[in-house]
């Protein structure tokens, strides 16, 4: 029972070290996260504008001659927010990608410097295919983790908290009912991560073995042909390739079961909210605009949790790469 915390602490330290490569690029990172805050604010405002448009513009008093004008103003405001969000999303994606590509650039340079300075004894024991896998594929996965993956996780967590707070403040009963599905979705995501993480580490290790086998065969082609070992090398390669295929197929089966289950739970929650909210509208306890706002918020509430389920495999692979 004692080794497990040490393993987790080691993984945490390794990941923190990877994120430390973002430090020289803090301006780009700060800019990306600042745009994230503004975009999340727009996401909170959009459903409220929809609510106001439906209750006061479309569903307002028929005798009110200002309804058309209010509707036009609301639609114009929505369009303006969409344009602002689009521009900010462009800069957000560009800054995040440049920062993460800079991390990969620095990591590859440091790897090359380290490999060059290592002793002859290390290079006698090390496999070139394993080093190639680390320098190319593993660095790429760390780049994704320090860039879009980490950004989406933080953005999703913030959007989750803001959306849940707004929904509960609008209608406590309906808001709490919507939030009740989150622990189940979060549990399923974490459960999937616990199963997938060790499997992704095995896939990474086996890919290194496979890359090494290819590199050795290419480098020793003359020797293999001289001693007529083509069939034996093909059989050895097929064994390693089959093992990698089986591990990858197992990972695909896990995702094929998990993702539809997560979508099913999210859709059931949305249907329950629509049914209960509809009864409140019929009984005059909720306006139609508030129900539309609630269903919009519900999509924002469930979306980050579903995204966590999609991003966890990438995080698990990046952890193994790190």
């Amino acid at each position: 029972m004692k080794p497990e915390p040490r393993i987790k602490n080691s993984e945490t330290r390794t990941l923190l070290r990877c994120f430390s490569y973002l430090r020289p690029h803090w301006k780009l990172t700060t800019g990306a996260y600042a745009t994230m805050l503004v975009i999340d604010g727009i996401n909170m405002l959009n459903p409220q504008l929809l609510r106001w448009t439906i209750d006061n513009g479309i569903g307002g008093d028929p005798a009110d001659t200002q309804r058309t004008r209010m509707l036009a103003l609301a639609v114009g405001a929505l369009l303006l927010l969409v344009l602002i969000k689009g521009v900010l999303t462009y800069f957000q994606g560009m800054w995040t990608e440049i920062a993460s590509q800079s991390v990969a650039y620095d990591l590859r340079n440091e790897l090359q410097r380290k490999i060059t300075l290592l002793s002859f004894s290390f290079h006698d024991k090390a496999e070139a295919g394993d080093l190639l896998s680390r320098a190319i594929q593993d660095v790429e996965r760390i780049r994704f983790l320090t860039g879009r993956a980490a950004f989406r996780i933080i953005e999703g967590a913030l959007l989750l908290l803001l959306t849940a707070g707004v929904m509960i403040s609008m209608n406590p009963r309906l808001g709490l009912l919507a939030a009740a599905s989150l622990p189940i979705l979060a549990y399923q995501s974490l459960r999937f991560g616990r199963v997938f993480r060790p499997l992704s580490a095995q896939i990474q290790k086996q890919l290194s073995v496979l890359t090494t086998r290819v590199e050795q065969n290419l480098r020793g082609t003359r020797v293999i042909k001289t001693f007529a070992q083509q069939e034996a090398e093909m059989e050895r390669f097929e064994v390693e390739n089959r093992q990698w295929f089986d591990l990858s197929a197992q990972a695909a089966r896990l995702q094929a079961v998990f993702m539809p289950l997560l979508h099913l739970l999210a859709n059931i929650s949305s249907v329950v909210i629509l049914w209960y909210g509809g009864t409140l509208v019929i009984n005059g306890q909720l306006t139609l605009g508030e129900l539309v706002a609630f269903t919009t918020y519900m999509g924002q509430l469930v979306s980050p949790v579903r995204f966590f389920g999609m991003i966890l495999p990438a995080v698990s692979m990046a952890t193994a790469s790190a």
Side-chain angles (χ1 to χ4, degrees):
M1 296 297 293
K2 290 183 179 179
E4 186 177 355
R6 288 200 293 269
I7 293 172
K8 289 182 178 179
N9 289 336
S10 176
E11 288 181 354
T12 302
R13 285 196 300 270
T14 303
L15 289 175
L16 288 176
R17 186 179 176 190
C18 292
F19 280 104
S20 69
Y21 283 86
L22 282 171
R23 196 174 299 149
H25 317 290
W26 65 270
K27 291 182 180 179
L28 289 170
T29 306
T30 303
Y33 281 90
T35 57
M36 176 194 71
L37 294 175
V38 180
I39 290 173
D40 280 352
I42 292 174
N43 288 333
M44 293 300 102
L45 186 58
N46 272 338
Q48 295 299 326
L49 269 175
L50 282 172
R51 177 189 63 80
W52 187 87
T53 303
I54 293 172
D55 289 341
N56 297 285
I58 299 174
D61 186 0
D64 189 354
T65 57
Q66 298 295 318
R67 289 171 62 198
T68 304
R69 182 171 176 272
M70 287 190 294
L71 179 61
L73 287 173
V75 170
L78 285 169
L79 180 61
L80 179 62
L81 288 177
V82 168
L83 291 174
I84 294 173
K85 183 178 176 180
V87 172
L88 291 177
T89 302
Y90 164 77
F91 284 107
Q92 179 191 94
M94 181 178 65
W95 291 337
T96 304
E97 189 64 23
I98 292 175
S100 64
Q101 289 289 356
S102 299
V103 169
Y105 173 82
D106 295 339
L107 269 174
R108 289 192 184 103
N109 282 338
E110 191 164 336
L111 273 169
Q112 176 62 33
R113 190 179 303 112
K114 179 69 174 179
I115 292 171
T116 303
L117 295 175
L118 285 169
S119 63
F120 283 109
S121 62
F122 170 83
H123 288 286
D124 288 338
K125 297 176 183 177
E127 299 288 353
D130 185 42
L131 296 177
L132 282 171
S133 178
R134 294 187 186 208
I136 298 174
Q137 189 166 22
D138 288 355
V139 168
E140 179 62 21
R141 283 173 173 166
I142 293 172
R143 179 202 67 78
F144 179 71
L145 175 67
T146 57
R148 294 186 182 275
F151 188 89
R152 296 305 176 195
I153 289 172
I154 295 173
E155 181 186 43
L158 181 60
L159 187 62
L160 198 70
L161 292 173
L162 290 174
T163 304
V166 171
M167 292 177 75
I168 292 173
S169 65
M170 284 180 63
N171 189 300
R173 286 183 298 174
L174 200 57
L176 289 173
L177 181 63
S181 62
L182 295 181
I184 302 174
L185 293 170
Y187 170 75
Q188 291 296 332
S189 296
L190 292 173
R191 182 168 169 264
F192 175 72
R194 284 196 299 268
V195 175
F196 196 85
R197 191 178 297 112
L199 181 59
S200 64
Q202 292 179 48
I203 292 173
Q204 288 290 94
K205 184 178 179 180
Q206 185 59 29
L207 184 60
S208 297
V209 172
L210 194 63
T211 306
T212 299
R213 178 66 64 184
V214 172
E215 185 271 335
Q216 288 176 342
N217 287 342
L218 291 173
R219 189 171 54 183
T221 301
R222 292 181 182 273
V223 176
I224 293 171
K225 287 182 177 294
T226 300
F227 292 94
Q229 292 296 307
Q230 295 96 323
E231 291 295 329
E233 286 300 323
M234 288 172 63
E235 288 177 5
R236 280 194 285 268
F237 180 82
E238 185 176 356
V239 170
E240 301 294 351
N241 195 24
R242 169 58 61 179
Q243 189 173 349
W244 183 81
F245 174 82
D246 290 341
L247 289 170
S248 300
Q250 185 180 349
R253 284 193 294 269
L254 278 175
Q255 293 185 70
V257 171
F258 169 75
M259 292 309 300
L261 177 62
L262 203 61
H263 282 282
L264 176 64
L265 293 172
N267 289 330
I268 289 174
S269 302
S270 299
V271 170
V272 171
I273 291 299
L274 184 61
W275 170 78
Y276 182 65
T279 59
L280 293 178
V281 172
I282 293 172
N283 295 327
Q285 298 175 288
L286 196 72
T287 67
L288 182 60
E290 287 174 331
L291 179 59
V292 172
F294 249 96
T295 55
T296 306
Y297 280 130
M298 188 63 194
Q300 293 182 177
L301 192 67
V302 172
S303 179
V305 182
R306 287 192 296 193
F307 185 78
F308 290 158
M310 290 185 285
I311 208 71
L312 275 175
V315 174
S316 297
M317 290 181 179
T319 304
S321 297

